[in-house]
Structures are given as structure tokens and as C-alpha cells.
Amino acid sequence: MNDLNNKIIDWSVPPRSTEIPVFLAPESKKTQLSENSQLLHFYTDIHPLVSFKIVFHKGTSEEEYSGISKVMFELLTAGTDSKSALDFATELDYLGASLNFTESKDYAVCKLDCLNEVFDNAFELMKDALFNPKFDELEIDKTIRKFKSAKEQEEADSNYLSTTAMMASLFREHPYGNPEYGYSDEIEEFTRRNIKNCWESYIFGARISIIVTGNMNKETAHKYALELTNQMADDVYSEEVDNILVREQNKLVIVNFNSSSQSVISVGKPTINIKHENYAGLSLINVIFGGYFLSRLNHLIREQKGLTYGVHSSISSAVHTGLLGVSTSVNLDKTREVVSDILEEMSKISNEMLEDDELQRAKNYYLGSFLRSAESHKQISKMLTTIALNDLDDDYYNQFYRKIKNIRSDELFSTQIDLFKPEGLSIAIAGNEKKLVDQFDGYFDRYDILDKEGKILGRYENNN
Amino acid sequence: MTRILSISTLLVFISAIGLFGQANEIKLEQEKLDNGLVVIYNIDRSAPVVSTVVHYKVGSKDENPEKTGFAHFFEHLMFESTEEIPRASIDKYINQAGGTLNAHTSMDETVYKFTVPANQIKLPLWIEASRMRKLKVQTEGVETQRGVVKEERNVRVDNQPYGDLIERMAKKLWPGSGYEWPTIGYHEHLDKATIEDFQNFYNQFYQPNNACLVISGDFNVDEAKNYVREYFGSIPKGKEIVRREQKFSDLKEKVDIVVEDEKAQLPGIFEGFRGPKLGEDDYYAMSLLSNIMASGESSRLYQSLVNQKQLAVASQMIPFSLQYSGAMIFVNIPNSEDNIEATKKALNEELAKVVKDGVTQEELTKAKNIVEAESIMSNKNTLSKAMSIARYWAYYNEPRMINTEIDKYLDVTLDDIKRVAKKYLDTDKKVILTYIPAKAEK
């Protein structure tokens, strides 16, 4: 006890707090623009900024040649019918605006961020890029060369190699297993015609959600959105993609990365996706498992053993599956020990009901993260994107918040048993092949050596 | 014809965005406690959260050259325990309150950051005060964090392509100064760090008169002032801090080093020039020039090296804005080893061109527009705002520059750009690091 400024402070206990503020999801409006397009809008005038996002409900898992979407989107700003690549970039930079295209397995996004007062000019540039790309042969050559170099650089990154190997091993035969930068032998198919087909499949053949957040009122957002959707999504089709098959047996794959004194471990396990009723429970268990600093994995591997700078687990949701993933970089010599720790922690969490203290701590963290997640119009844009992509209720985040707040440990236990058993895992390690093979001798019956694109190069079988 | 139309379009844009600057003013209230701690309050009710930042004026430049990595290692220890808070509890308190925490260390600063739900405002203040009063440095914590820091070095430096670039560049750009060694330190120094060393470091730098506390978010200022007085008011003022003098001798000659890198797939050319320090007049002109040369796809270097000549896959610049010096490091990744010399030649032609002719009015206006838009976009949440405010206190002793610094950029003229181009880039005294991919042993 100390006497400070005439006030007695008990330094030995943390200060008491008042009631946590209630989270209320930002009030957005959803409007159907046409059979295949919708607008989600949220207005705030705190900053003079606007985020305008076009979400294509179609991603690289539907592309004809792996990697071609990346090249196609890059080409949209590399010259239009009326502007060279330089003119386009200069005009955009003049506005202090940014226009980005990103693609993932299930969807692609065109995102324009700028000050509200230049929005009209920036919007015209975005429209030009979307509807009038020139796909000039010279620019195509240049862009493919850049793509190849970027692919080469990514393949020098052990994190990329480990993730690619994990996805390939887990989702082999399914497009989710394709490497982000595609397969080298498909690059020759990146012809002007195929690139143009790819462009048409997104612009005219995909459902569209437009997400507008920030300092733009609903009527104006609606006007701009209609200007786009009147020309888009008029021939929507969706390819049938098989559901994911789940294996029971764990699988170890190694991708050689000789020059590193560390190894990168990626563990993956297919799980439920965001539409499943237990998704909130799964997300909460993941927080305890490896989703925050106080998680079991971080406590053991970083804070107790000091074997890593960080170890994280995450849940990602896709259309055809969900993925529980763990990733970490560790000293090469300690790789087997850390893999064992991860599996052991999975086993524990799937066998034992959670203690109330641990659960409450994770809940508090999770509930607080809701408050922090709605600070800016860009964060709100992300929330609306999730709602749009998964056709969730407008009230989804409020419902999710209530579920997390009220769920009990006995209600979570069946989800722990079902979804955290260390079975059906893909354990991918990027590191020195020889040392890893020595370390893992006898650990699994067999393991595969993969190349940089996730293709099988060879197989080791244990003799014992 | 197309070009003329484009330029006229640009002129329309120039007038259109002359109306920038309508961002809401960020309002601040500042006080200084008797012990020298500066406290700045900023109300932002965008969301029911509060961020706190404690910025200590200590970075790796303040370390003993024989004991590098201390400032950063110490940052890890600040999350261990205090006289009142048991080991492994700080993260627990903050996370179970629904908050997040983080910290960073650079050559000049060490900064601690919390964001919590608004009802928990007292918690980060209690933690910050407790560790400012009396941190407990114990063997167990030091040994665990030693392992973590060494793995961090492995992740960030030793196992990245071109990972030791900054380490090598700093050594040659600022020999004899505190900027010469890497913030993360050398393995041999991390191995030798003792508890006594850390205690001395703490006593010297972790004093209220060497720090600033910023609180930004949804709170009541009068209540917050009471909490601040309760928790920080009785911490005694520290001794006057004696820092090692920073000496910068002129670069004597061109440094040209070839590095074989097993992690790199493509070669890398990194050319470093000494530049202005933070806040001096040249700094603003140099920042805009850097933007014109190497920021975005319309920049000169991207257009020349990547787009037109197709020699490189990337051409950018890393600006180093430090308290006592600065640097511009031009980063070029040639698309093959065959193009290394051609890339160097093209870079130097572009640099010579800007030294001789300066830049155009259109280029300058574009760079100012980008900076103006970025300045509004970068302060849109409580934590980023609190960090900016603390930096303006630390380097300019004027937190309100968060609202006015943009004027210094807007005042830059074409002559200023030409002058700084000549002053800093028209020289052979630079550091060139050429990384060549070395094939790893199979």
C-alpha cells in the first residue's frame, strides 16, 4: 500500500472497471440492385474518406488456368482503350487514391479508397479499368514476366512454401490445393484470349456485392453502384466444385529449404465454415488454443520454452470447407519437439472440458475485439464483406456476439471433441530436408517430399 | 495527341484537389506532471475504446556498442513482471479485459501500446505506472525472452532474403554513431546480457522525465487526469539522462559490396545516400522528391526501370527518418543476374537527371496530393493517432504538429526539390550493396 497524492492505492490488484460497453454492430443497409447484385452501405462523416469495394463472388478455385486471375487483375490498370498504363497510374496518384485488386480461392475484390471530394474522378478511373482494359500484347508479356519473378520470389519464402505444401497435401485434387501463384506449366496458357475470357468471367459471369463505407450517403452510393451493376453480372454461372474430402490419417510433408537455420511449420485441418451453427463456438475454442497471446500454444511454446517468436492458430472459412490452421517458425533442431507440442495441445483440448476461468478470459478478449473491430470505416467494410460473401443475416455480428457472450463450457465440449482431435491433419514443414528427415525418423509411417508448387517429389517409408 | 489530353485532364485534377485539407482538427490537451512526465489527452468517440501509448526516448542508438540489442531486449522484459504484477500477468490482465497490447523499438524510440474497451481505461495506466515505478528483472524472464528475441532475429534477419540489408547498410552509412548497429542486436551480445546490465539500463532511461503518455479514445478527460495523478504522480523524477554523443563523420568514399545470399532468388541492388534528419527543412523536400522518384507505379524509377526498360521487377525507396540523421535507400530488384549492371546504370541516369533538371510542377503537385491524402488516412483510429501524437512530442516537442505538419510539405517549391536533389544525391559517397543469389548446397 502506498500513499500517493493523499489517495491510498492498492497496487497489488488491478483496478476495478465499470461495465463493458455493449457492442452493437454498425447499422448498415442492404439493397438488392438486381438478381445478381446487391449494395451494402454504411455512412459515417468522422473522416472525409470513402471505401468503395466490388466483391466478385468468384475466385481462383474456378479459374481455368491456375494463376491467370492474378495476371488478369494486374492488367486492368496496365492500360485501357483511352489511357496508357503511365497515364492511368499518374491520374490515380494525382488524386491520392488507391485502387487495388485482390483475389482468393472463393472471391475477388476491387477496392477504391480515396477522399470523398475526389471520389467522382477516382470512380471514373475505376470504371475505365474494369470495363475498358486494353490487354495490350506488350503489357501482357511484361505482366507475365513480372508474375514469374514474383512467383520466384515467393518461392524463396519459407512461409509461402510451408503454406503451399500444407494446402496441397490437404486439398490435393481440389482447386483449394493449388498454389497461390499457380503451376509453372500452366503459364504458357496465359494468352490474350484466355486472359480476356478470365476477365469476362468475373465482370459478367459472377454475382456482385458492392460495399460502400465512409463519408458517402446512401443515395449517392446507390447511384454509383447502379452505374456499375447495369453493365455487370448479366451472365452469371457457377461451376460445380466438389466438396472437400476429409482424411482420417495424419500426413507429414516436407519441402526442402536448405538455406535456413529455422523451419516453418504449417498444420492444417479441414473444419466447418462460417454458416455452421457451431462456428462461433469453434472460433472461441480457437482463441484458447492458439488465437491470442494467452493461448495454450503461445504459453507453452513461446512463453515457457522460448522456442519461437510467435505461434498462432486461426480459423478461416471458405465456401466448400473451413480450415483450422497453426503456423510458426522455430529453430530447425527443435522442429519435432514443437510439432509434438502442437499435436499434444490439440489432443488435450479435444479431451478436456474448458475451465471457467480460461473460458471467461478468452470470452472477454473476444468480446473486446468486437469493440475494436468497428473503429474505422475500413474495418466496417471488412465486416460487411463477410456478410455479403456468405449471405449472412444483416444482424449476424450481433447474433455472433451474443452467442460468444452466453456460451457455456459444457456446450462447447462436443465441438472440442469433434473439431480439435489431432486427426486428418496435414503437417507441412519447410526446412532443411536432410535434417528434418533425420529428426522425424520413426515419427510417422511415411512422409512425402514436395516441390515448391506442392507436387510430390518423393516418399520416405519407415522401415520399423 | 493522347498525351496532351492527358495533361489537360491532370490540370483539372490539380484544381479539383486544391480543396484538400478538410480533415477534422485533432484536438489535444496537454499537461506535465511534477516528475516531468508529459501527458496528452485526445477525445475520439468513434468507438467505445481507449488507446494508451507510452513513448520512451530510448532506442538502440543509446546502447553501449559492446552490448547491442538492449533496448529491444528490454522492451520484451517490460512485459515480464513488476514489483506488484506477477510474471506473465500483463498480457493476461489486458487480454481478459478485452484489450490488445504491443510494443516496438527502433534506433530512436521504444513505444508501448494498449487498446482496451473504454470501461477499462484505468488498467493500462496502472500497468504503465507500475512498470515505470519498479520493474522486476528476474532470471527466469530474462532467459525465456533471450530465446524469444534470438528467434525473432532468426525470423526477421537471418532467414529472410536480403535480411541483413539494413544491418550492413547502417554500418556503412553511419559509422561511429549509435545508428551503426542493428536494433535487434548481435547474437553474441544477446547471449551475454546480464540482469545487472538490464537494471542499469532501466534506471538510466525508464524515467517519467524521459517519457510521454498519450491517451486517445472515448473517455472523460477530468476522470483520466485524476487516474494519471493517482498512478503516475508519485513516481520520482529521474536523474538527468546522460546520452552518448552522436558523431557523424562525412562518408569518405563510395562503398561497394557484393553479398552472396542463399535465401535470395533474384539479385538485389541497394544504394544508400545520407539524407536530412527528421524535421529539418530539407526533410520535407526530400520526402516529396523520394515520392516522385520511387513511390507508386507512376514514379520515375518504376516507369523507367520496371515498365519501359524492363530491367527490374521492383524499384522503390526505403526512407530512413531518424532523430539525428537520415537516409534514402534505393531498392532495385533486377529480373535476372544479367541485368545487374544495366539496372545500376539506369538508376544512376535517373538520379543524374533529377539532379540536373529537378522535377515538373505536375510531379510536385501529385506528390503533395499523395502526402495530403495519406496524412488524413493514417490517423483514423485511436492507436495510430496516439502514436503519431507521441512522435510529434518526441521529435518536435510539439504534439499539435499532427494538425499542421502538412503545411510544411505544401510549402515546398520546385527550387527546394532541385536543391535537395543536388545536395544529397549528387555524390559518389554512397553505399552500394549488391546481393547475388547463391545456390544452397543440395
Side-chain angles (χ1 to χ4, degrees):
Chain A
M1 303 282 264
N2 299 284
D3 188 336
L4 299 175
N5 293 354
N6 301 322
K7 258 196 136 169
I8 304 295
I9 296 174
D10 182 356
W11 283 93
S12 65
V13 290
R16 284 168 186 270
S17 66
T18 52
E19 190 78 4
I20 188 168
V22 175
F23 169 79
L24 281 176
E27 274 195 39
S28 58
K29 293 270 179 281
K30 194 190 281 183
T31 312
Q32 200 65 33
L33 299 170
S34 70
E35 190 187 345
N36 293 309
S37 62
Q38 59 178 347
L39 166 69
L40 283 81
H41 173 257
F42 171 79
Y43 175 77
T44 170
D45 62 359
I46 290 176
H47 298 290
L49 300 166
V50 176
S51 170
F52 191 101
K53 213 187 255 185
I54 304 166
V55 180
F56 301 91
H57 291 240
K58 174 190 177 69
T60 56
S61 60
E62 290 182 54
E63 64 190 1
E64 200 173 349
Y65 305 103
S66 61
I68 196 168
S69 301
K70 204 179 269 298
V71 169
M72 183 277 290
F73 282 123
E74 182 82 23
L75 279 163
L76 294 188
T77 52
T80 65
D81 291 343
S82 61
K83 287 185 178 69
S84 69
L86 174 58
D87 287 343
F88 191 92
T90 305
E91 292 188 16
L92 196 67
D93 284 346
Y94 247 94
L95 301 174
S98 72
L99 177 64
N100 296 301
F101 295 89
T102 52
E103 67 291 315
S104 64
K105 302 287 181 196
D106 290 325
Y107 63 94
V109 174
C110 163
K111 188 154 76 87
L112 174 64
D113 286 297
C114 63
L115 292 158
N116 57 352
E117 63 194 273
V118 302
F119 183 82
D120 199 53
N121 288 327
F123 181 77
E124 287 304 316
L125 282 172
M126 181 179 75
K127 258 189 0 185
D128 199 23
L130 283 171
F131 297 125
N132 308 310
K134 197 168 183 185
F135 296 129
D136 177 78
E137 291 286 3
L138 271 176
E139 291 294 340
I140 290 174
D141 283 351
K142 258 194 260 180
T143 305
I144 291 174
R145 270 204 293 277
K146 275 197 277 179
F147 172 83
K148 285 179 178 171
S149 296
K151 177 172 160 64
E152 213 176 323
Q153 281 186 300
E154 285 292 337
E155 288 171 355
D157 177 352
S158 47
N159 288 297
Y160 177 86
L161 293 178
S162 171
T163 308
T164 301
M166 185 266 284
M167 294 295 280
S169 147
L170 208 55
F171 301 121
R172 206 169 286 291
E173 310 302 325
H174 188 284
Y176 284 169
N178 293 350
E180 186 190 340
Y181 277 82
Y183 297 108
S184 303
D185 53 10
E186 292 184 23
I187 296 177
E188 64 190 37
E189 301 295 341
F190 294 3
T191 60
R192 185 171 192 274
R193 172 188 285 195
N194 287 337
I195 288 170
K196 214 172 164 193
N197 286 344
C198 175
W199 168 71
E200 284 172 353
S201 73
Y202 280 96
I203 301 293
F204 308 114
R207 280 174 57 216
I208 300 290
S209 292
I210 292 179
I211 319 281
V212 184
T213 59
N215 202 333
M216 176 181 284
N217 66 38
K218 191 186 162 202
E219 291 67 32
T220 311
H222 192 261
K223 184 195 84 161
Y224 283 119
L226 274 182
E227 258 190 81
L228 293 176
T229 55
N230 283 342
Q231 300 177 63
M232 299 170 86
D234 62 357
D235 187 19
V236 174
Y237 63 91
S238 187
E239 282 183 19
E240 285 297 315
V241 182
D242 293 339
N243 280 328
I244 305 296
L245 293 172
V246 181
R247 278 179 290 103
E248 291 301 317
Q249 207 179 0
N250 290 339
K251 198 169 185 181
L252 175 69
V253 293
I254 292 170
V255 54
N256 188 31
F257 194 71
N258 257 342
S259 59
S260 178
S261 61
Q262 281 192 311
S263 61
V264 178
I265 304 168
S266 296
V267 179
K269 177 181 168 74
T271 189
I272 55 178
N273 71 8
I274 198 167
K275 292 190 167 188
H276 196 283
E277 58 178 356
N278 291 341
Y279 191 76
L282 169 67
S283 304
L284 183 57
I285 301 163
N286 174 62
V287 169
I288 293 167
F289 177 56
Y292 74 148
F293 199 83
L294 298 181
S295 69
R296 293 181 179 191
L297 288 178
N298 196 61
H299 180 69
L300 175 68
I301 299 170
R302 173 180 153 134
E303 293 301 294
Q304 272 188 8
K305 296 189 171 185
L307 295 179
T308 181
Y309 177 54
V311 52
H312 311 278
S313 70
S314 59
I315 304 289
S316 43
S317 177
V319 171
H320 301 281
T321 187
L323 182 69
L324 165 65
V326 180
S327 62
T328 185
S329 299
V330 300
N331 186 304
L332 188 61
D333 296 335
K334 302 287 183 186
T335 309
R336 180 168 166 164
E337 180 180 345
V338 172
V339 168
S340 298
D341 286 341
I342 292 168
L343 300 193
E344 180 66 22
E345 287 302 322
M346 284 189 88
S347 181
K348 270 190 209 162
I349 209 163
S350 66
N351 276 317
E352 297 161 10
M353 202 182 292
L354 300 170
E355 297 286 340
D356 285 345
D357 274 4
E358 189 181 31
L359 177 61
Q360 193 55 48
R361 203 158 47 230
K363 273 188 180 188
N364 290 346
Y365 171 76
Y366 211 166
L367 297 176
S369 74
F370 279 84
L371 300 175
R372 296 193 309 274
S373 68
E375 265 199 88
S376 73
H377 73 293
K378 279 194 178 184
Q379 288 174 302
I380 293 164
S381 177
K382 274 188 196 165
M383 295 169 95
L384 297 187
T385 303
T386 301
I387 287 178
L389 274 172
N390 297 289
D391 297 322
L392 304 173
D393 287 349
D394 294 355
D395 197 36
Y396 173 77
Y397 282 101
N398 288 327
Q399 293 170 26
F400 194 94
Y401 181 83
R402 283 195 292 272
K403 267 191 191 172
I404 296 289
K405 193 171 182 183
N406 297 324
I407 202 160
R408 297 188 315 267
S409 55
D410 59 305
E411 293 171 317
L412 284 171
F413 194 45
S414 60
T415 307
Q416 290 167 240
I417 296 168
D418 291 346
L419 303 178
F420 278 84
K421 269 191 194 147
E423 291 171 0
L425 303 177
S426 167
I427 302 157
I429 306 170
N432 183 298
E433 178 186 330
K434 189 173 176 308
K435 289 189 175 171
L436 289 170
V437 165
D438 288 346
Q439 256 186 71
F440 281 90
D441 188 33
Y443 197 84
F444 287 104
D445 291 340
R446 68 172 202 211
Y447 37 93
D448 292 336
I449 307 297
L450 305 188
D451 71 5
K452 292 173 176 177
E453 296 180 341
K455 292 178 181 161
I456 298 173
L457 285 175
R459 174 163 291 170
Y460 282 83
E461 307 257 1
N462 276 313
N463 297 323
N464 302 334
Chain B
M1 190 62 191
T2 308
R3 184 74 194 153
I4 293 168
L5 281 174
S6 296
I7 289 171
S8 67
T9 314
L10 293 180
L11 292 174
V12 172
F13 286 152
I14 293 167
S15 59
I17 50 181
L19 298 171
F20 270 16
Q22 293 171 355
N24 297 331
E25 185 190 347
I26 295 167
K27 293 192 174 135
L28 308 177
E29 194 171 333
Q30 182 176 344
E31 63 174 345
K32 190 173 187 176
L33 305 189
D34 291 345
N35 57 20
L37 178 70
V38 172
V39 189
I40 301 164
Y41 306 89
N42 163 245
I43 297 293
D44 178 342
R45 304 205 191 279
S46 310
V49 296
V50 170
S51 293
T52 65
V53 161
V54 173
H55 183 124
Y56 288 95
K57 289 186 188 176
V58 57
S60 57
K61 74 168 188 308
D62 300 302
E63 295 164 348
N64 176 340
E66 301 304 316
K67 294 177 178 179
T68 65
F70 262 58
H72 171 254
F73 199 149
F74 201 82
E75 172 212 310
H76 282 244
L77 296 181
M78 284 283 276
F79 293 92
E80 282 288 319
S81 58
T82 75
E83 205 62 11
E84 299 90 9
I85 303 176
R87 183 156 187 259
S89 297
I90 291 178
D91 310 289
K92 197 160 99 182
Y93 290 142
I94 289 293
N95 281 171
Q96 71 186 8
T100 57
L101 68 171
N102 211 335
H104 74 256
T105 307
S106 73
M107 291 171 169
D108 289 320
E109 66 191 32
T110 310
V111 180
Y112 298 88
K113 309 161 236 187
F114 293 113
T115 299
V116 292
N119 65 315
Q120 293 284 359
I121 180 172
K122 289 169 82 173
L123 182 62
L125 299 178
W126 174 73
I127 292 169
E128 292 293 14
S130 180
R131 57 190 184 182
M132 195 184 279
R133 290 170 76 234
K134 200 151 195 186
L135 190 77
K136 210 173 191 177
V137 184
Q138 293 171 302
T139 310
E140 193 184 2
V142 168
E143 291 315 314
T144 305
Q145 292 308 321
R146 197 192 308 275
V148 172
V149 170
K150 287 173 78 174
E151 283 307 312
E152 184 178 356
R153 190 189 150 93
N154 281 336
V155 171
R156 293 187 192 276
V157 179
D158 300 338
N159 291 306
Q160 291 294 328
Y162 329 117
D164 61 357
L165 151 71
I166 298 300
E167 200 164 310
R168 288 176 183 273
M169 189 62 83
K171 198 169 188 171
K172 298 297 179 188
L173 274 175
W174 298 294
S177 81
Y179 296 140
E180 183 183 10
W181 54 84
T183 297
I184 200 149
Y186 297 116
H187 275 296
E188 60 268 32
H189 294 165
L190 297 173
D191 282 334
K192 284 183 200 157
T194 66
I195 288 189
E196 191 187 359
D197 289 332
F198 287 121
Q199 199 60 58
N200 291 340
F201 191 84
Y202 176 71
N203 292 339
Q204 190 179 358
F205 295 109
Y206 279 73
Q207 303 296 343
N209 42 316
N210 192 39
C212 165
L213 162 68
V214 182
I215 308 173
S216 173
D218 185 7
F219 62 95
N220 176 298
V221 173
D222 291 335
E223 279 177 14
K225 282 183 175 175
N226 285 335
Y227 303 148
V228 165
R229 287 192 185 88
E230 270 179 47
Y231 292 130
F232 293 89
S234 70
I235 301 173
K237 187 174 184 171
K239 286 184 195 160
E240 198 64 35
I241 292 169
V242 182
R243 294 175 196 273
R244 56 194 305 274
E245 193 187 342
Q246 299 298 332
K247 289 179 188 161
F248 297 94
S249 50
D250 288 338
L251 294 182
K252 293 190 173 52
E253 56 189 0
K254 179 161 87 173
V255 176
D256 199 340
I257 298 172
V258 175
V259 182
E260 290 206 354
D261 186 348
E262 287 186 353
K263 270 83 90 194
Q265 291 286 0
L266 292 173
I269 303 165
F270 306 93
E271 293 207 8
F273 295 81
R274 285 260 282 268
K277 64 181 184 182
L278 266 174
E280 68 179 282
D281 285 346
D282 285 355
Y283 167 77
Y284 298 99
M286 198 68 214
S287 297
L288 292 172
L289 173 59
S290 304
N291 225 313
I292 292 164
M293 294 301 292
S295 174
E297 292 193 6
S298 69
S299 66
R300 286 189 175 198
L301 292 176
Y302 184 91
Q303 280 304 320
S304 169
L305 276 69
V306 179
N307 201 31
Q308 287 159 19
K309 299 191 172 101
Q310 296 181 47
L311 297 167
V313 295
S315 186
Q316 295 161 353
M317 205 220 44
I318 304 173
F320 259 81
S321 308
L322 301 167
Q323 190 172 2
Y324 297 110
S325 185
M328 292 80 61
I329 301 173
F330 290 94
V331 175
N332 293 284
I333 309 296
N335 48 26
S336 81
E337 288 184 47
D338 297 339
N339 283 332
I340 290 176
E341 289 313 314
T343 303
K344 285 181 179 174
K345 185 165 173 272
L347 168 66
N348 286 303
E349 281 171 3
E350 287 300 325
L351 295 180
K353 209 187 288 176
V354 79
V355 166
K356 181 169 173 279
D357 302 327
V359 301
T360 65
Q361 184 60 53
E362 285 77 16
E363 285 177 311
L364 179 57
T365 307
K366 182 185 73 172
K368 288 180 179 179
N369 287 343
I370 291 171
V371 169
E372 202 166 4
E374 282 175 352
S375 78
I376 295 170
M377 290 181 190
S378 65
N379 289 319
K380 62 187 182 308
N381 68 37
T382 52
L383 183 59
S384 59
K385 223 180 332 172
M387 286 168 61
S388 294
I389 292 165
R391 279 175 63 80
Y392 285 112
W393 165 79
Y395 301 113
Y396 305 96
N397 199 26
E398 183 39 276
R400 286 179 179 77
M401 269 182 73
I402 195 169
N403 292 312
T404 59
E405 190 184 34
I406 188 65
D407 297 336
K408 290 184 181 278
Y409 287 100
L410 298 181
D411 287 345
V412 170
T413 64
L414 287 173
D415 286 343
D416 293 332
I417 298 277
K418 199 166 176 184
R419 178 176 51 74
V420 295
K422 185 154 183 53
K423 184 172 169 184
Y424 295 100
L425 301 177
D426 187 18
T427 176
D428 262 352
K429 291 167 187 166
K430 59 184 172 182
V431 180
I432 306 170
L433 301 177
T434 307
Y435 281 67
I436 312 277
K439 297 297 169 218
E441 192 187 325
K442 293 282 174 195

